[in-house]
Amino acid sequence: MLTGRRFRVEFTDAQAEFAQRIGDVCRSVWNTGLEQRRAYRRRGAWMNYAPQAKELAEAKAEHPWLKDVPGHCLQQTLMDLDKACRTHGTFRVHWRSGRRWAPSFRFPEGNKMVVEQLNRRHARIKLPKLGWVKYRSSRSLAGVVIRSATLCREGRHWYLSVLVDDGIAAGAVHAQPGAAVGIDRGVAVALATSSGELIDRPFTTAGERRRVVALQRKLARAAKGSVNRAKVRAALAQVRARERRRRLDFCAQTAHQLTVANAVVVLEDLKTRNMTRTAKGTLQDPGRGVAAKSGLNRAILAKGWHQLALALASAARYTRTTVISVPAAYTSQRCSVCGQVDPKSRESQAVFRCTHCAHVEHADVNAARNILAAGLAVTACRVPPAPAGVGGTRTQEPAGNREGLLPQPAHTAPAA
Ligand SMILES: [Zn+2]
């Protein structure tokens, strides 16, 4: 199966300088290519990869600085640009700014790369024009097939991301075919499962939060464009990167545990991008509750909701787990026992007390149970038709509205 492995690179000074130069050239190729594509689009014409790659080859004769860097990286940049323009549209693809864009470039032809273990902690990989690149061997690359390698800089450090084929094939079915779980992602608690588990982990320590506040104050006082400001920004980025890595780790580990234990994982379909839109409004029509909304946005993003969905999709490939998204509407207001929908049942942030049957549960767990029920209703429709002579398999798709997906209690008529 194709998967990624990431390592911290330990460049020599000359290599770090050269890598930065490759990044700069790739950036200028990207921007020139994008400019050209936009100019063509304005005239109603199209530009794509093949003619651009040809022009790049011709430009090398005129500009020797293009020849110094690995040609494959430049071609990859044009391919990435082509893909970005096809996916998002030429005018929605961004320029790569020298200040904002962190250098990143890819070497294809992984089959030609040689990896050598130096000692227990370090290994090296041979990359075109960069030569032997030493990296921290935090995971072995023995027995895998390398497809490509990407170098990118994050803050002060460079990282090597290797796309590998690990040769692991998933079994035909999940090891525990009957097991299913519903997941409610929240702000107060990162995850609640339908089995009653609350999974969360702090990503920052109290000391780190104090340090962020102190650094932000320092940043506000630092003069624009000063050396001091750059230093404070770098320190702030370092603390934030640590938090980000912890979050990624939490998501990957949780996703692994959930997919190993369950054949079906149901998530509510959260449009994180829409949910974290700013409330700022416009100059003519300023929004209300801007500070509160930006605080909520930060809380949502801090829990890594989207990151977990990505990690689940990746981990599910190995265990044959089915990951389902169901609409999120009413999952927090519906009683998981009797099915009654009532906003008043949500007594507080944490407590759900049904106004109809007096069922009491942790509000997020109750929501997770509803999510599971909705997800199972969806999978029931996907069951292949029963063999001849066996009846009773429901193959018809139910109504798209999730009110219709949940088992309806006889004595209530839930509000739509
Ligand atoms: Zn109830």
Side-chain angles (χ1 to χ4, degrees):
M1 221 168 285
L2 286 181
T3 183
R5 302 270 163 89
R6 196 161 184 257
F7 305 96
R8 179 140 140 215
V9 168
E10 291 183 356
F11 273 144
T12 60
D13 289 347
Q15 278 178 330
E17 206 179 290
F18 186 43
Q20 183 66 45
R21 196 158 78 237
I22 300 174
D24 289 342
V25 175
C26 285
R27 187 168 62 82
S28 102
V29 166
W30 173 280
N31 287 341
T32 315
L34 183 58
E35 171 75 66
Q36 191 186 31
R37 276 167 181 267
R38 287 189 174 181
Y40 268 70
R41 280 310 295 133
R42 281 192 208 102
R43 286 193 265 122
W46 292 93
M47 191 60 181
N48 39 41
Y49 171 70
Q52 282 197 327
K54 202 168 157 242
E55 282 178 32
L56 175 70
E58 285 161 10
K60 277 184 189 171
E62 264 178 67
H63 306 287
W65 50 272
L66 276 172
K67 258 194 290 192
D68 293 347
V69 301
H72 275 150
C73 297
L74 302 181
Q75 280 173 16
Q76 280 296 318
T77 304
L78 285 180
M79 275 187 209
D80 292 344
L81 177 67
D82 191 60
K83 200 177 168 196
C85 288
R86 277 168 203 275
T87 317
H88 306 288
T90 309
F91 289 96
R92 298 184 74 176
V93 173
H94 293 291
W95 304 108
R96 287 183 169 173
S97 135
R99 280 189 169 189
R100 293 220 176 144
W101 183 70
S104 160
F105 47 89
R106 185 160 70 248
F107 296 91
E109 300 208 317
N111 51 353
K112 287 183 187 158
M113 284 167 202
V114 192
V115 176
E116 268 179 21
Q117 194 73 30
L118 292 171
N119 48 45
R120 200 165 59 82
R121 282 168 183 242
H122 292 101
R124 59 179 190 170
I125 185 168
K126 199 166 190 187
L127 295 174
K129 293 205 177 173
L130 270 166
W132 286 107
V133 171
K134 190 171 157 192
Y135 64 88
R136 291 190 184 178
S137 177
S138 44
R139 200 169 170 182
S140 171
L141 278 180
V144 301
V145 181
I146 299 177
R147 292 291 181 85
S148 71
T150 304
L151 282 173
C152 62
R153 183 166 64 81
E154 241 186 61
R156 287 181 298 145
H157 301 294
W158 283 85
Y159 292 88
L160 168 75
S161 298
V162 195
L163 176 69
V164 299
D165 188 347
D166 58 10
I168 299 173
V173 286
H174 194 273
Q176 309 205 11
V181 72
I183 307 284
D184 179 63
R185 288 170 282 179
V187 170
V189 179
L191 303 175
T193 69
S194 54
S195 49
E197 254 184 298
L198 299 175
I199 310 171
D200 204 351
R201 189 163 81 194
F203 301 126
T204 50
T205 62
E208 280 167 350
R209 282 192 291 276
R210 277 199 302 274
R211 183 164 159 74
V212 166
V213 171
L215 284 170
Q216 278 172 334
R217 282 187 188 142
K218 224 172 165 182
L219 190 69
R221 284 196 300 267
K224 233 178 183 179
S226 65
V227 177
N228 196 30
R229 191 182 171 87
K231 269 188 206 164
V232 178
R233 270 173 58 117
L236 205 54
Q238 206 178 350
V239 181
R240 297 232 164 98
R242 202 180 304 144
E243 183 190 343
R244 195 164 59 239
R245 287 196 293 270
R246 284 186 195 134
R247 190 182 308 128
L248 276 174
D249 179 54
F250 168 76
C251 288
Q253 290 199 20
T254 313
H256 174 75
Q257 285 160 9
L258 288 171
T259 49
V260 164
N262 296 286
V264 176
V265 176
V266 191
L267 294 170
E268 78 270 51
D269 190 10
L270 297 173
K271 300 274 184 287
T272 317
R273 174 73 62 82
N274 296 355
M275 290 175 79
T276 52
R277 285 255 163 83
T278 171
K280 216 187 255 169
T282 57
L283 212 59
Q284 286 78 31
D285 180 22
R288 282 172 301 147
V290 178
K293 177 64 178 141
S294 76
L296 176 65
N297 286 352
R298 210 174 311 125
I300 290 174
L301 294 172
K303 288 295 175 192
W305 286 355
H306 180 59
Q307 203 52 252
L308 181 82
L310 292 180
L312 273 174
S314 173
R317 299 179 305 155
Y318 286 88
T319 56
R320 294 268 177 199
T321 300
T322 314
V323 181
I324 304 170
S325 302
V326 295
Y330 302 110
T331 45
S332 62
Q333 297 176 6
R334 180 191 298 277
C335 171
S336 60
V337 173
C338 71
Q340 174 86 5
V341 176
D342 186 354
K344 287 194 209 87
S345 297
R346 179 97 186 230
E347 200 176 85
S348 66
Q349 200 287 312
V351 181
F352 182 92
R353 191 186 303 274
C354 180
T355 51
H356 190 261
C357 73
H359 169 67
V360 181
E361 203 165 31
H362 190 286
D364 292 341
V365 174
N366 178 67
R369 286 191 208 279
N370 286 329
I371 290 163
L372 175 62
L376 291 181
V378 173
T379 45
C381 312
R382 288 198 198 136
V383 171
V390 184
T393 310
R394 222 173 59 170
T395 49
Q396 198 190 341
E397 193 83 16
N401 190 336
R402 77 168 296 235
E403 299 304 306
L405 298 181
L406 288 164
Q408 295 295 322
H411 55 277
T412 53

